[in-house]
């Protein structure tokens, strides 16, 4: 699930192989996007809000038009299902990770793979791209990057791996920057700031890492111990969702935890937010909308 940059449209995927674009103010369906075979695992809007990116169990990545639901671009190259996606800057390049253990960089204009950014040998469950603190050495490319690469310089890619490792890779140089060993498989990760990142594990741990020194993490244990399925920055803290229906908001330097109720022990797969509005999608097939007026 995702929400457009303007906040007017929502996007959600389903195990029936379809995606739906809907109005966030009333839930009215605007478009149904059909073309993937089997489950659609991940989706997101481009920054413009008029183009959609999706990845499925069919190993394909597709680009769609919000205006007419057409699919002008399909990327093929992964050997297993797509698990997460990221857009580089305004969207001339995109990134994907897969059960095949690779993270790939794609050229949208030519529908081609520019590079394999990382080969992990195990499924990469989640990814996030960000700009780290300028003290982080991102390495240099042995050869000048292709002129088809746009906006990859100075970017760090976080990879949440099945083998209990969180890895940071320089997008442009393809250089591994760090590998952090966690307590269980990592499911998701996100940047909180240029210095701080979050990552969640299958056994319910949330780690806060300083990208300048990943050897000394701060570990936040979720009280339920259920798998952490989604993390996203929110205000001065973050929102986390888990496999037992738990979804909570935690603000920096505050002992108060705000729980978002509704799901009855069904996993909350993803969280999206726009200003004070938070959206969650759940295995029960319901997308819930919360208005957080007190934060």
């Amino acid at each position: 699930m995702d929400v457009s940059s303007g906040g007017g449209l929502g996007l959600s995927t389903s195990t029936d192989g379809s995606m739906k674009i809907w109005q966030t103010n009333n839930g009215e369906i605007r478009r149904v996007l059909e073309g993937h075979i089997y489950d659609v695992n991940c989706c997101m809007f481009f920054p413009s809000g008029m183009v959609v990116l999706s990845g499925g169990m069919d190993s394909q990545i597709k680009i769609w038009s919000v205006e007419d639901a057409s699919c002008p671009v399909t990327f093929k190259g992964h050997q297993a299902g797509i698990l997460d996606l990221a857009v580089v800057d305004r969207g001339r390049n995109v990134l994907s990770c897969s059960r095949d253990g690779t993270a790939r960089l794609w050229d949208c204009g030519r529908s081609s793979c520019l590079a394999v950014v990382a080969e992990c040998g195990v499924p990469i469950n989640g990814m996030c791209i960000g700009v780290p603190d300028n003290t982080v050495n991102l390495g240099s490319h042995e050869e000048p990057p292709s002129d088809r690469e746009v906006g990859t310089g100075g970017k760090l890619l976080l990879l949440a791996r099945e083998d209990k490792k969180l890895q940071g890779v320089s997008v442009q140089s393809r250089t591994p920057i760090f590998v952090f060993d966690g307590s269980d498989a990592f499911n998701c990760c996100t940047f909180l700031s240029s210095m701080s990142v979050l990552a969640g594990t299958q056994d319910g741990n949330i780690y806060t890492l300083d990208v300048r020194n990943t050897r000394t993490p701060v570990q936040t244990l979720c009280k339920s111990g259920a798998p952490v399925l989604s993390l996203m920055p929110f205000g001065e803290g973050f929102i986390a969702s888990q496999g037992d229906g738990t979804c909570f908001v935690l603000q920096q330097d505050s002992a108060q935890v705000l729980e978002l109720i509704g799901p009855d022990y069904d996993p909350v797969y993803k969280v999206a937010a726009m200003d004070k509005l938070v959206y969650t999608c759940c295995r029960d097939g319901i997308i819930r909308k919360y208005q957080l007026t007190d934060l």
Side-chain angles (χ1 to χ4, degrees):
M1 181 189 61
D2 194 19
V3 174
S4 65
S5 56
L9 294 176
L11 170 70
S12 54
T13 68
S14 170
T15 55
D16 65 5
S18 72
M19 287 185 294
K20 294 178 180 178
I21 299 173
W22 35 274
Q23 294 183 184
T24 56
N25 61 342
N26 58 14
E28 179 183 345
I29 304 298
R30 295 285 300 275
R31 298 282 186 273
V32 177
L33 310 179
E34 296 180 309
H36 280 288
I37 305 170
Y38 311 121
D39 297 9
V40 185
N41 291 335
C42 44
C43 63
M44 64 188 303
F45 283 99
F46 277 70
S48 67
M50 299 306 296
V51 183
V52 164
L53 184 66
S54 66
M57 285 298 292
D58 56 8
S59 307
Q60 297 183 35
I61 303 156
K62 292 179 177 289
I63 294 178
W64 309 79
S65 166
V66 171
E67 292 185 328
D68 60 9
S70 63
C71 176
V73 175
T74 297
F75 299 117
K76 296 181 180 180
H78 281 292
Q79 303 302 308
I82 312 303
L83 296 180
D84 207 358
L85 301 162
V87 175
V88 182
D89 284 353
R90 296 177 63 182
R92 288 182 61 180
N93 296 152
V94 297
L95 289 151
S96 62
C97 63
S98 166
R99 291 187 188 276
D100 67 11
T102 66
R104 293 173 179 259
L105 177 70
W106 304 87
D107 177 359
C108 296
R110 294 183 177 174
S111 307
S112 62
C113 181
L114 287 171
V116 175
V117 177
E119 293 189 64
C120 299
V122 296
I124 304 172
N125 297 321
M127 69 191 321
C128 184
I129 188 173
V131 179
D133 186 79
N134 57 19
T135 61
V136 178
N137 182 4
L138 294 177
S140 58
H141 208 290
E142 294 181 359
E143 299 177 0
S146 165
D147 59 3
R148 303 298 300 180
E149 275 192 46
V150 180
T152 58
K155 302 294 196 307
L156 180 67
L157 183 66
L158 303 178
L159 302 175
R161 296 169 38 163
E162 183 70 20
D163 60 353
K164 306 182 183 181
K165 298 181 187 298
L166 177 72
Q167 183 173 357
V169 180
S170 170
V171 178
Q172 189 172 85
S173 71
R174 331 291 192 228
T175 304
I177 304 304
F178 70 84
V179 176
F180 171 76
D181 292 303
S183 57
D184 204 345
F186 280 98
N187 292 327
C188 52
C189 51
T190 189
F191 279 85
L192 282 181
S193 69
S194 63
M195 295 181 287
S196 181
V197 301
L198 280 180
T201 62
Q202 183 68 13
D203 62 355
N205 281 320
I206 297 177
Y207 292 93
T208 305
L209 300 174
D210 188 325
V211 294
R212 300 166 300 177
N213 179 16
T214 58
R215 293 187 294 274
T216 55
V218 176
Q219 182 177 336
T220 305
L221 180 65
C222 297
K223 64 181 181 180
S224 70
V228 181
L229 302 180
S230 175
L231 291 166
M232 72 161 294
F234 185 79
E236 297 299 318
F238 65 91
I239 305 176
S241 69
Q242 296 182 263
D244 62 354
T246 301
C247 187
F248 64 90
V249 184
L250 183 63
Q251 294 296 292
Q252 187 178 7
D253 301 327
S254 172
Q256 180 183 6
V257 176
L258 178 65
E259 293 198 18
L260 306 181
I261 62 174
D264 187 15
Y265 301 106
D266 281 306
V268 178
Y269 294 125
K270 194 76 175 180
V271 179
M274 176 57 61
D275 296 327
K276 297 290 186 178
L277 297 175
V278 175
Y279 303 82
T280 64
C281 64
C282 183
R283 188 174 65 183
D284 60 13
I286 298 174
I287 293 174
R288 294 174 171 85
K289 178 180 177 181
Y290 303 84
Q291 185 165 1
L292 307 185
T293 56
D294 297 333
L295 294 178

